[in-house]
Amino acid sequence: MTTNSGTLALEHLGNVPPSYQHHWRAAEPHAPIVLPDRIFKWYHVHLDGAVVPDAMDAEARALLTADATSGTWQTEYGLDFALLHLSTAHAFLIVGTWRGHQEMWERVYMKDLATGGPFELVSREGQDWPGACVWELGVICHERMAWHRYLFTSRDGVSKRAWLEDTYTGRV
């Protein structure tokens, strides 16, 4: 990766095709999902001007509610978040749960928009699997800082309500 002069050679790295045109997306919070032992802040991520269909929102909320109340999820703190990303070919449901005080654990579900099938849990087989794209990371980064801010509080009822109200709206 270095040339004879010792400088870093980057010519063969980062060559995103010129045909790819990057753009902003929007993130917006919606009503949280409140369950007996946990709450999920709820976000939509989508192209500027696009709207997540109500039916897709309802489907994703129902899936998350059913999975989170199935007894198979670890509930350490119960202050969690989820985002529904309406992309171009797929929709993604990304769920972040806080464990071990400062660890975000993640579940990723994907829906093929061409076939209209259901959301399916993304397989964790093999070495690599999707974590988050640049747009989803906008919400995840905000939630990372919201949890960070929460951990510096007394973690009482007022602090928990402040965490719940600490949401992100804007370009990602």
Side-chain angles (χ1 to χ4, degrees):
M1 287 250 302
T2 58
T3 63
N4 290 338
S5 65
T7 59
L8 190 59
L10 300 175
E11 294 78 21
H12 67 286
L13 302 174
N15 295 321
V16 176
S19 60
Y20 174 74
Q21 296 298 309
H22 196 66
H23 50 269
W24 288 103
R25 295 203 179 186
E28 54 193 22
H30 288 264
I33 296 175
V34 180
L35 302 173
D37 63 347
R38 65 190 330 150
I39 190 166
F40 292 92
K41 292 183 192 178
W42 186 256
Y43 290 92
H44 286 177
V45 175
H46 50 77
L47 290 167
D48 278 331
V51 175
V52 173
D54 289 342
M56 183 182 294
D57 181 84
E59 176 189 2
R61 284 174 176 269
L63 169 65
L64 179 54
T65 298
D67 279 2
T69 57
S70 68
T72 62
W73 282 30
Q74 179 178 336
T75 302
E76 194 161 338
Y77 302 112
L79 301 178
D80 305 313
F81 69 94
L83 64 95
L84 176 55
H85 179 190
L86 178 60
S87 191
T88 50
H90 298 91
F92 296 92
L93 173 58
I94 298 176
V95 183
T97 61
W98 294 106
R99 294 190 200 166
H101 316 306
Q102 76 288 347
E103 300 170 0
M104 186 196 82
W105 288 59
E106 180 182 69
R107 287 191 187 201
V108 179
Y109 302 82
M110 185 172 68
K111 176 183 185 72
D112 186 327
L113 296 176
T115 64
F119 281 94
E120 295 182 2
L121 187 62
V122 174
S123 172
R124 297 267 180 169
E125 308 247 338
Q127 288 185 316
D128 299 319
W129 52 83
C133 71
V134 296
W135 302 293
E136 295 155 354
L137 284 170
V139 171
I140 293 168
C141 287
H142 173 85
E143 286 302 318
R144 176 246 179 210
M145 289 306 299
W147 187 252
H148 198 58
R149 287 186 288 272
Y150 173 73
L151 291 176
F152 281 112
T153 71
S154 62
R155 299 186 284 279
D156 59 4
V158 171
S159 301
K160 292 171 186 174
R161 187 146 313 273
W163 169 86
L164 181 60
E165 294 171 1
D166 187 351
T167 59
Y168 180 76
T169 301
R171 289 179 124 187
V172 288

